[in-house]
Amino acid sequence: MSYRTALSEVLTGTVGPVAEATAGQGRFPRGAVTALGGAGLLGLTVSTAFGGGGRGLAEAVDVVARTARVCPATAAVLQSHYAAVAVVEAHGGPWLRTEIAAGRHLASLALAESEEGAPEGAAAEARLLAPRSVATGSGGVVALRGRKRPVLAAGEADTYVWSSRPLAAPDGLTLWAVPAHAPDLFVPARPGAAGPRGSATSTVLADPVLVPAEAMLGTDGAGLDLVLRTVLPWLLELRAAAETFRPPTLDPEGPRRRADSLAAS
């Protein structure tokens, strides 16, 4: 089965029927994410060597664009997931890549550090390049301390791609794969104004979180290049796709009709 056929089935059978509740009640589309994982779409861009679909940015853009027609919140979650997976594909370990490929793992970016009440968008993205979060190493264990906002799928993702100041390098930033179940990593609030309703966009706080040194993605201080060359290009393409096809208003019957029309295409 092609990824397009699999996506059409998920949009018709799962995403469309719950899109109204997702937007109207602000309910995270857990069932939709599970179905996308089961259909191989969370692992779409993971290498076939790890059981993934072996596809790239073009196919991820297609998935996000078609999903955005049905459920903006699910599309937003996929944007962050695919951008995070691009980093994991470049530097993540075999276990994490295999879990994502199998559809058992939702990833998200925890890079921005906009202040409460501060304007988001371009100003928030500029902060991706100069994180205030810090990392301190001792005996093979790294303590990460910081507050990330906005984070999509906050409290719902399984792994966050987290940025910090370098551990020892003189400049740049460092990226880490932080498991959501790590002690002292928590979501203190869920502001409803950030992100599409239902996307669980919120703050994630590390106070601090302990991770093994092996959780580093790439080398110390080299994360800036990863953000510039991988994360931002993926995010810009994925966001443009979602915005192009996002419905302007919520039609109670719209999600189901859009899903049915996609299945027929």
Side-chain angles (χ1 to χ4, degrees):
M1 182 186 300
S2 72
Y3 82 88
R4 285 181 137 260
T5 300
L7 177 60
S8 292
E9 292 185 358
V10 173
L11 292 178
T12 302
T14 306
V15 179
V18 302
E20 181 182 355
T22 298
Q25 302 173 25
R27 182 184 304 167
F28 185 79
R30 172 52 59 186
V33 170
T34 300
L36 288 164
L41 294 162
L42 292 185
L44 181 69
T45 58
V46 178
S47 168
T48 56
F50 294 93
R55 302 286 185 151
L57 178 56
E59 290 81 8
V61 164
D62 184 37
V63 171
V64 168
R66 297 177 71 198
T67 303
R69 303 176 198 175
V70 180
C71 180
T74 302
V77 170
L78 284 173
Q79 290 172 52
S80 188
H81 171 78
Y82 284 136
V85 171
V87 177
V88 172
E89 267 295 278
H91 295 290
W95 178 85
L96 181 55
R97 295 171 72 184
T98 299
E99 286 294 294
I100 295 171
R104 295 188 291 263
H105 223 79
L106 178 66
S108 189
L109 296 172
L111 306 180
E113 297 182 351
S114 63
E115 298 175 358
E116 298 290 336
E120 295 177 4
E125 286 189 356
R127 295 187 179 94
L128 299 182
L129 309 181
R132 294 187 297 271
S133 298
V134 297
T136 306
S138 177
V141 176
V142 176
L144 299 172
R145 187 185 299 273
R147 181 188 297 269
K148 300 293 183 176
R149 178 183 182 273
V151 178
L152 283 149
E156 301 287 350
D158 299 289
T159 292
Y160 300 101
V161 172
W162 185 280
S163 63
S164 74
R165 295 173 181 172
L167 192 62
D171 52 27
L173 61 87
T174 302
L175 297 179
W176 309 88
V178 178
H181 59 75
D184 296 317
L185 184 75
F186 60 95
V187 179
R190 288 211 168 174
R197 188 165 169 79
S199 62
T201 303
S202 187
T203 299
V204 177
L205 180 66
D207 191 31
V209 167
L210 302 181
V211 297
E214 291 78 13
M216 184 184 295
L217 296 168
T219 57
D220 191 34
L224 180 60
D225 189 62
L226 269 174
V227 171
L228 290 173
R229 295 180 180 273
T230 301
V231 175
L232 286 180
W234 277 67
L235 275 182
L236 289 173
E237 291 285 343
L238 294 166
R239 285 179 180 173
E243 290 295 333
T244 299
F245 294 104
R246 180 174 296 175
T249 58
L250 179 64
D251 174 0
E253 294 300 320
R256 189 181 299 276
R257 283 199 296 268
R258 286 189 291 272
D260 290 342
S261 67
L262 284 171
S265 63

